[in-house]
Short mmCIF file of all heavy atoms in Angstrom, two decimals:
data_model
loop_
_atom_site.label_atom_id
_atom_site.label_comp_id
_atom_site.label_asym_id
_atom_site.label_seq_id
_atom_site.Cartn_x
_atom_site.Cartn_y
_atom_site.Cartn_z
N ILE H 105 -13.41 -8.98 11.52
CA ILE H 105 -13.22 -8.37 12.89
C ILE H 105 -12.16 -8.91 13.65
O ILE H 105 -11.28 -8.02 14.15
CB ILE H 105 -14.65 -8.59 13.65
CG1 ILE H 105 -15.77 -8.03 12.94
CG2 ILE H 105 -14.55 -8.04 15.10
CD1 ILE H 105 -15.77 -6.53 12.68
N LYS H 106 -11.91 -10.11 13.67
CA LYS H 106 -10.72 -10.81 14.38
C LYS H 106 -9.40 -10.28 13.71
O LYS H 106 -8.44 -10.02 14.59
CB LYS H 106 -10.80 -12.25 14.24
CG LYS H 106 -11.70 -12.91 15.25
CD LYS H 106 -11.59 -14.47 15.09
CE LYS H 106 -12.87 -15.18 15.79
NZ LYS H 106 -13.17 -16.48 15.24
N GLU H 107 -9.32 -10.23 12.52
CA GLU H 107 -8.16 -9.80 11.81
C GLU H 107 -7.80 -8.27 12.18
O GLU H 107 -6.67 -7.97 12.49
CB GLU H 107 -8.15 -9.89 10.35
CG GLU H 107 -6.79 -10.02 9.74
CD GLU H 107 -6.76 -10.63 8.24
OE1 GLU H 107 -7.62 -11.54 8.12
OE2 GLU H 107 -6.07 -10.23 7.45
N ALA H 108 -8.82 -7.43 12.16
CA ALA H 108 -8.73 -6.08 12.55
C ALA H 108 -8.23 -5.91 13.96
O ALA H 108 -7.38 -5.04 14.28
CB ALA H 108 -10.01 -5.30 12.31
N GLN H 109 -8.74 -6.80 14.89
CA GLN H 109 -8.21 -6.69 16.24
C GLN H 109 -6.73 -6.98 16.27
O GLN H 109 -6.10 -6.33 17.09
CB GLN H 109 -8.95 -7.76 17.04
CG GLN H 109 -10.36 -7.33 17.52
CD GLN H 109 -11.26 -8.41 18.14
OE1 GLN H 109 -11.04 -9.53 17.79
NE2 GLN H 109 -12.34 -8.05 18.84
N GLN H 110 -6.26 -7.98 15.51
CA GLN H 110 -4.94 -8.24 15.52
C GLN H 110 -4.04 -7.18 14.92
O GLN H 110 -2.89 -7.00 15.43
CB GLN H 110 -4.62 -9.65 14.74
CG GLN H 110 -5.20 -10.91 15.47
CD GLN H 110 -4.46 -12.11 15.26
OE1 GLN H 110 -3.46 -12.13 14.69
NE2 GLN H 110 -5.15 -13.27 15.78
N TYR H 111 -4.61 -6.49 13.89
CA TYR H 111 -3.77 -5.35 13.36
C TYR H 111 -3.63 -4.31 14.46
O TYR H 111 -2.61 -3.77 14.68
CB TYR H 111 -4.45 -4.82 12.21
CG TYR H 111 -4.53 -5.63 10.98
CD1 TYR H 111 -5.70 -5.45 10.13
CD2 TYR H 111 -3.62 -6.70 10.65
CE1 TYR H 111 -5.84 -6.41 8.96
CE2 TYR H 111 -3.66 -7.53 9.56
CZ TYR H 111 -4.80 -7.32 8.74
OH TYR H 111 -4.99 -8.17 7.74
N ASN H 112 -4.80 -4.08 15.23
CA ASN H 112 -4.66 -3.04 16.30
C ASN H 112 -3.76 -3.42 17.40
O ASN H 112 -2.99 -2.67 17.91
CB ASN H 112 -6.11 -2.92 16.89
CG ASN H 112 -7.04 -1.91 16.10
OD1 ASN H 112 -6.61 -1.44 15.05
ND2 ASN H 112 -8.15 -1.62 16.64
N GLU H 113 -3.73 -4.72 17.79
CA GLU H 113 -2.69 -5.22 18.64
C GLU H 113 -1.23 -5.01 18.26
O GLU H 113 -0.49 -4.58 18.98
CB GLU H 113 -2.97 -6.68 19.09
CG GLU H 113 -4.25 -6.89 20.00
CD GLU H 113 -4.66 -8.24 19.97
OE1 GLU H 113 -3.87 -9.25 19.71
OE2 GLU H 113 -5.80 -8.52 20.35
N ALA H 114 -1.01 -5.35 16.91
CA ALA H 114 0.24 -5.07 16.43
C ALA H 114 0.73 -3.65 16.38
O ALA H 114 1.75 -3.17 16.72
CB ALA H 114 0.39 -5.61 14.95
N PHE H 115 -0.20 -2.73 16.12
CA PHE H 115 -0.02 -1.28 16.14
C PHE H 115 0.18 -0.85 17.61
O PHE H 115 1.29 -0.10 17.73
CB PHE H 115 -1.29 -0.57 15.69
CG PHE H 115 -1.12 0.95 15.55
CD1 PHE H 115 -0.26 1.55 14.77
CD2 PHE H 115 -1.98 1.67 16.50
CE1 PHE H 115 -0.12 2.96 14.76
CE2 PHE H 115 -1.89 3.11 16.39
CZ PHE H 115 -0.90 3.74 15.60
N GLU H 116 -0.46 -1.34 18.54
CA GLU H 116 -0.32 -0.95 20.04
C GLU H 116 1.08 -1.41 20.45
O GLU H 116 1.80 -0.62 21.12
CB GLU H 116 -1.44 -1.52 20.86
CG GLU H 116 -2.81 -0.78 20.71
CD GLU H 116 -2.73 0.68 20.82
OE1 GLU H 116 -1.93 1.13 21.67
OE2 GLU H 116 -3.40 1.42 20.02
N HIS H 117 1.46 -2.53 20.00
CA HIS H 117 2.78 -3.08 20.36
C HIS H 117 3.94 -2.22 19.78
O HIS H 117 4.86 -1.93 20.44
CB HIS H 117 2.88 -4.63 19.84
CG HIS H 117 4.13 -5.19 20.34
ND1 HIS H 117 5.22 -5.46 19.52
CD2 HIS H 117 4.56 -5.65 21.67
CE1 HIS H 117 6.19 -6.01 20.23
NE2 HIS H 117 5.69 -6.17 21.49
N MET H 118 3.74 -1.91 18.42
CA MET H 118 4.75 -0.98 17.78
C MET H 118 4.80 0.29 18.57
O MET H 118 5.89 0.88 18.78
CB MET H 118 4.51 -0.81 16.33
CG MET H 118 4.91 -1.93 15.46
SD MET H 118 4.80 -1.52 13.69
CE MET H 118 5.84 -0.14 13.63
N ARG H 119 3.63 0.97 18.88
CA ARG H 119 3.64 2.19 19.50
C ARG H 119 4.28 2.25 20.80
O ARG H 119 4.91 3.19 21.30
CB ARG H 119 2.15 2.66 19.60
CG ARG H 119 2.06 4.14 19.93
CD ARG H 119 0.87 4.77 19.38
NE ARG H 119 -0.34 4.17 20.01
CZ ARG H 119 -1.60 4.70 19.79
NH1 ARG H 119 -1.81 5.81 18.82
NH2 ARG H 119 -2.65 4.24 20.32
N SER H 120 4.15 1.07 21.60
CA SER H 120 4.73 1.01 22.99
C SER H 120 6.25 0.96 22.84
O SER H 120 6.98 1.20 23.80
CB SER H 120 4.32 -0.26 23.54
OG SER H 120 4.84 -1.51 22.99
N GLU H 121 6.80 0.68 21.55
CA GLU H 121 8.25 0.63 21.39
C GLU H 121 8.79 1.99 20.89
O GLU H 121 10.01 2.15 20.87
CB GLU H 121 8.60 -0.46 20.28
CG GLU H 121 8.38 -1.88 20.69
CD GLU H 121 8.53 -2.91 19.46
OE1 GLU H 121 8.48 -2.36 18.37
OE2 GLU H 121 8.85 -4.06 19.85
N ASP H 122 7.93 2.91 20.51
CA ASP H 122 8.36 4.21 19.99
C ASP H 122 8.99 5.00 21.08
O ASP H 122 8.64 4.95 22.14
CB ASP H 122 7.18 4.90 19.35
CG ASP H 122 7.06 4.62 17.77
OD1 ASP H 122 8.12 4.21 17.23
OD2 ASP H 122 5.95 4.69 17.19
#
Side-chain angles (χ1 to χ4, degrees):
Chain H
I105 301 297
K106 277 185 198 155
E107 202 161 326
Q109 278 166 342
Q110 291 206 13
Y111 298 148
N112 277 8
E113 284 166 20
F115 179 65
E116 289 306 322
H117 186 254
M118 277 190 63
R119 193 151 64 174
S120 71
E121 290 171 341
D122 268 338

